[in-house]
C-alpha cells in the first residue's frame, strides 16, 4: 500500500497517525523540513487513495443504543440491488458481500428499541429480494479498531 | 450528550479532520473560539477521536472474515478478551442472538487468514463452533462511526 509513498511521506503518515490534526508547522519542525514541504506532502498523502484523516464518533455517546450485526440472505441474482438498497438506509453503517451461509453481512446502529423494531420488521423486509434476516444485538463491544477501512471515492 | 452544534462539527470533521477551525466556524456560523472549545470538549470526553484510516482497498490481497462463535458460556468473557488481543482481529462483540460472539478479522492474505481462523481462533479453549464468512465486496462502510474504547489501545 505504500508503493507511491517515499520515506518522508511515510514519516509524515506516522506523525498523522499519532495526531491527525497536527499542524504542518509542527510536523515540519519534527522532521526538519520546511513548512511548505510539509504542507504539500500532507495534502498529497491525504488526498490520495492511501488514507484519510477523519474524526470518528462514538456510536454510544452519540445516542445509538443498539449496534446490530446482521446476516442477510438474498434470492438468486439480486445481490447487488439488495446491497445497494440496504446501503442507502441511514441506520446501516456497513454492508459487505460475503461467501458462506449468509450473502451479506451488515452492521446497523439505532437509537431506540422502536427504531430497531421498525428496521427489522418493516424497513428491511420491504426490500425486494431479501430471503432471510438473521439479526443480533451487540451486548458488549470488546474491540473496535478503526485504523483500516475500505475507502471509496466519496 | 451532544447538541446540534456538536453534531455539525462532528459531521464536518468526519469528512476531513484537518479542516481548520476558522473554516468550520464559517461553515456552521459560530465563532472560531466556540469551534475550538467544542472540539477540545469532544476529544476530552472521548466522543470523537481523530484517526488516520488506511485504505483496505490498497492492500494487495487482503483476507477479511466475519466470524460468529458459539462458546462455552462460562468462558465467553475470557474468549472475547483473548480475541481482542489478536492484532488481526479488528472487532469483537458479544451478541444477543445469532451467536455468542462476533469477530471481524483482517489479514494480509488468504493463507494468513486461514491460519488465524483455524489455528488461532477455532482452537481457543471453550470455542464450540465457528461460522466464518469471507468478505468479497464492500458496498458501504461509514468509517465516521466506531466505538472509542480507551482500554483497547
Amino acid at each position: 500500500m505504500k508503493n507511491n509513498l517515499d520515506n518522508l511521506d511515510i514519516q509524515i503518515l506516522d506523525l498523522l497517525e499519532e495526531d491527525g490534526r497536527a499542524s504542518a508547522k509542527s510536523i515540519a519542525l519534527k522532521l526538519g523540513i520546511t513548512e511548505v514541504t510539509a504542507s504539500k506532502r500532507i495534502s498529497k498523502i491525504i488526498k490520495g487513495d492511501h488514507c484519510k484523516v477523519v474524526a470518528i464518533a462514538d456510536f454510544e455517546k452519540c445516542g445509538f443504543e443498539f449496534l446490530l450485526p446482521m446476516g442477510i440472505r438474498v434470492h438468486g441474482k439480486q445481490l447487488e440491488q439488495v446491497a445497494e438498497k440496504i446501503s442507502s438506509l441511514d441506520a446501516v453503517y456497513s454492508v459487505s458481500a460475503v461467501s458462506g451461509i449468509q450473502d451479506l453481512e451488515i452492521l446497523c446502529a439505532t437509537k431506540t428499541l422502536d427504531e430497531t423494531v421498525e428496521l427489522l420488521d418493516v424497513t428491511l423486509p420491504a426490500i425486494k429480494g431479501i430471503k432471510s434476516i438473521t439479526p443480533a444485538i451487540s451486548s458488549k463491544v470488546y474491540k473496535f479498531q478503526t485504523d483500516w477501512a475500505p475507502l471509496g471515492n466519496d | 450528550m451532544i447538541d446540534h452544534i456538536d453534531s455539525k462539527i462532528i459531521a464536518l470533521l468526519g469528512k476531513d479532520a484537518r479542516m481548520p477551525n476558522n473554516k468550520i466556524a464559517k461553515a456552521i456560523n459560530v465563532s472560531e473560539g466556540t469551534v475550538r472549545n467544542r472540539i477540545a470538549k469532544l476529544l476530552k470526553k472521548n466522543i470523537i477521536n481523530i484517526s488516520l484510516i488506511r485504505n483496505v482497498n490498497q492492500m494487495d490481497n487482503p483476507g477479511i472474515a466475519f466470524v460468529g462463535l458459539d462458546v462455552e458460556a462460562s468462558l465467553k468473557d475470557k474468549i472475547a478478551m483473548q480475541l481482542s488481543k489478536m492484532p488481526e482481529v479488528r472487532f469483537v462483540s458479544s451478541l444477543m442472538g445469532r451467536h455468542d460472539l462476533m469477530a471481524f478479522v483482517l489479514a494480509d492474505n488468504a493463507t494468513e487468514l486461514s491460519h488465524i481462523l483455524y489455528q488461532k481462533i477455532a482452537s481457543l479453549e471453550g470455542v464450540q463452533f465457528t461460522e466464518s464468512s469471507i468478505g468479497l465486496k464492500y458496498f458501504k462502510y461509514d468509517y465516521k462511526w466506531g466505538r472509542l474504547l480507551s482500554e483497547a489501545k
Side-chain angles (χ1 to χ4, degrees), chain B residues 35-77:
Chain B
V35 172
R36 190 168 50 242
N37 292 336
R38 293 298 183 113
I39 293 177
K41 187 195 81 186
L42 291 169
L43 286 168
K44 194 168 165 233
K45 291 189 171 170
N46 217 18
I47 295 169
I48 62 167
N49 184 14
I50 310 294
S51 297
L52 181 115
I53 307 174
R54 294 167 197 258
N55 191 355
V56 168
N57 296 329
Q58 293 276 313
M59 287 171 77
D60 286 337
N61 217 349
I64 295 174
F66 300 77
V67 189
L69 298 97
D70 292 340
V71 302
E72 184 83 32
S74 62
L75 293 174
K76 186 162 84 170
D77 194 57

Side-chain angles (χ1 to χ4, degrees), chain A residues 11-22 30, chain B residues 49-52 153:
Chain A
Q11 280 176 293
I12 293 172
L13 204 68
D14 290 340
L15 288 176
L16 286 175
E17 192 154 36
E18 274 168 37
D19 176 10
R21 273 176 74 82
K30 275 185 189 157
Chain B
N49 184 14
I50 310 294
S51 297
L52 181 115
K153 286 207 162 170

Side-chain angles (χ1 to χ4, degrees), chain B residues 102-152:
Chain B
M102 182 101 191
F104 298 166
V105 182
L106 169 65
D108 283 337
N109 53 57
T111 314
E112 200 201 313
L113 182 64
S114 78
H115 175 76
I116 295 156
L117 294 180
Y118 302 115
Q119 307 298 317
K120 287 175 78 176
I121 294 180
S123 66
L124 287 174
E125 191 200 342
V127 172
Q128 295 163 341
F129 174 76
T130 64
E131 180 193 316
S132 302
S133 301
I134 305 301
L136 300 173
K137 185 173 174 184
Y138 308 96
F139 290 93
K140 182 176 187 179
Y141 189 94
D142 193 349
Y143 49 77
K144 294 188 292 298
W145 291 100
R147 284 304 321 276
L148 305 175
L149 309 162
S150 40
E151 62 272 16

Side-chain angles (χ1 to χ4, degrees), chain A residues 1 42 57 71-72 87 97 103 107 118 121-122:
Chain A
M1 94 138 230
I42 294 167
I72 306 276
S87 298
D103 295 312
L107 194 58
E118 170 94 12
D121 288 355
V122 182

